[in-house]
Structure formats: C-alpha cells, structure tokens
Amino acid sequence: MNDVHTEQLFITYKSLLFSLAFRMLGSVQDAEDIVQDAYITWSEQPVNHVQNPKAYLCKIVTNRCIDILKSARKQRETYVGPWLPEPLLTDNNNDPALHFIMKESLSTAYLLLLEQLSETERAVFLLREVLEYDYNLISEVVGKSSSNCRQIFHRARKAIGNHTATQSSPPKTSALTEQFVSAVVSGNVNKLLSLLAVDATLVSDGGGKTKAALVPIIGAERISRFYMGIMAKAKEDFSFKYTIVNGEPGIVLYAEHQVLGVLSLQIKNDLIQTIYWVVNPDKLTHIK
C-alpha cells in the first residue's frame, strides 16, 4: 500500500486509538507508546488485505493494553499509597486530535471505576459504552463471539453501576476550582471549609517517590488542616496554572519552575467531593 495512504489512514484513527489506550491503562505515556507501536505494526503489514482498518488497529491496541494490565496488576499490589491515573491535560482546544478525546468523559472518578473490571471486561465495556461499537465489531477486536461480548458488557456495566455525571456545569466547576485555590493560597480556612463537602476526600498519589498521604484524607476539617500545613512550609517561588485535567477543571502546581503536582476536583451538589492530587514524579514527566 502507498506509504502516504497508509499514514493518512492511521492518522484518521490515531486520536481514537489513544483515547482507547488511555482509558484502558490510565497512563498517558503507555498509551502514546502503544499507539506508536500500533503504527509500526500497521505500516509493516500488507494492509490492502485488511477489510476493517478501524477494527484491526483497535485489536492491536486492545491486545497490548490487556498485556500491560495483566503485568500491572502484580505491580499495583506493591504500589505505595493510593494509585491514580496519570493526569491528561486537554486545554488546547485548537488541536483537532483532541476532539475525540474530549468528546467523552475522562474523569479520574470514571477511570477509577474501570479499575474494578478485568482486562477483557474493560476492553468490551469501553468499546461499547464509550466508542459505541456494535457487538460484531467488538467481537473482531477481542476475539470472542458477539453474544459473549454482549454478556461481558452487561456484567461490566452491573459491576460499575449506573455511572452518571454528577459534575456541576463547567463554568461553575471552574469557579469552584479557582475559589479553592484562592482559599488555600490565602490561608482562608473558613472559605475553604465552605467549598468542601463535610465528608470530602483527598486522594494523593506519590507512589512512594515523594511525600504524599499514604491513605485518603477524609473530612473537610482534616483536608483544610492538611493544606494549611503545606502552605505554612511552602516556598515563595511556587506558581500554578489552571487547565483541564482528565476532562475536568484542575491546576498544575510548579515549584522552582518544575512541575510539582497536578490537582483535579470532583464536584457534587456544587461542593468539592473529592480532590485528586498526583505528585508521583513518574506520572508528571509528560507535563510542562
């Protein structure tokens, strides 16, 4: 097949493949590597004989994701503290490649729900629920009968529950994020408490590589004391920028011009219900 045509076909599906891989793995870096590997495999095959390029490419990506997930389960058992997906920043609305990625929810809460599923269940669920593939195409991708895929999907949906977005409107969520940061930076405890649900939870992922809470911090007052303690020790040369983290408003925090961490919020009933705080340096290398 003509190299230009091969590349153009791949580009057509590239953002879709990345979106699938990221949802499967919760890792930006692994997803990028898998998509690159898929391109190499695609370009080396006589793809003129491929009847369904989308299914073929999705099958390559899905199988490699499943292999990584199987080995990751063993590594996860020894992971220090809570595990969170890598932050995916999608605030560049001018990048057409991000259109598909931003089309569906990528929230950290949603990605954590997927952790309950087996590797195959996750693949079938995402292909059906997010990418809206029919069961015949899913059957091609995962190598199981369409009726079996239908059963797997319903089992996965039951395991996850009827996930519905509880997020406030984007403007309100952005405003809450800005108010939260302002309250922390200014040391306004009363303001911070007014933004947090009474049973709010802070989940921090340091992976044993940097200082982070090894168990979730639960309760508005405990979270408030945690942040006031951090700010009391903070150096003056820190800065932050607002961005979109996994499809939701968040911030990137910098210290001495280096990325220190990425924070995103889950909002419920116009209050901050969960704070996700990724400070594991291994999960921040793709962020500038």
Side-chain angles (χ1 to χ4, degrees), residues 120-129 138 142 149 152-153:
T120 302
E121 284 174 340
R122 195 181 307 191
V124 171
F125 183 80
L126 288 171
L127 290 167
R128 179 64 178 171
E129 181 81 0
I138 296 171
V142 300
C149 288
I152 292 170
F153 172 74

Side-chain angles (χ1 to χ4, degrees), residues 195-206:
L195 300 172
L196 294 164
V198 174
D199 59 346
T201 302
L202 166 63
V203 183
S204 57
D205 178 347

Side-chain angles (χ1 to χ4, degrees), residues 77-96:
E77 290 172 6
T78 57
Y79 196 83
V80 179
W83 178 92
L84 290 174
E86 288 179 15
L88 172 64
L89 308 191
T90 53
D91 56 350
N92 183 3
N93 293 317
N94 296 321
D95 186 349

Side-chain angles (χ1 to χ4, degrees), residues 235-240 252-261:
K235 299 176 182 178
E236 292 183 6
D237 57 352
F238 76 89
S239 60
F240 58 87
V252 180
L253 184 66
Y254 301 88
E256 298 176 349
H257 306 293
Q258 300 291 320
V259 177
L260 181 65

Side-chain angles (χ1 to χ4, degrees), residues 271-283:
L271 289 172
I272 297 167
Q273 188 65 49
T274 312
I275 302 166
Y276 299 108
W277 179 227
V278 179
V279 288
N280 182 343
D282 293 346
K283 295 187 176 184

Side-chain angles (χ1 to χ4, degrees), residues 26 43-44 56 70 103 113 159 182 224 266 281 284 286:
S43 61
E44 290 175 349
Y56 178 83
K70 285 178 178 176
K103 182 180 175 184
L113 280 174
S182 174
S224 178
Q266 183 188 24
L284 303 174
H286 62 287

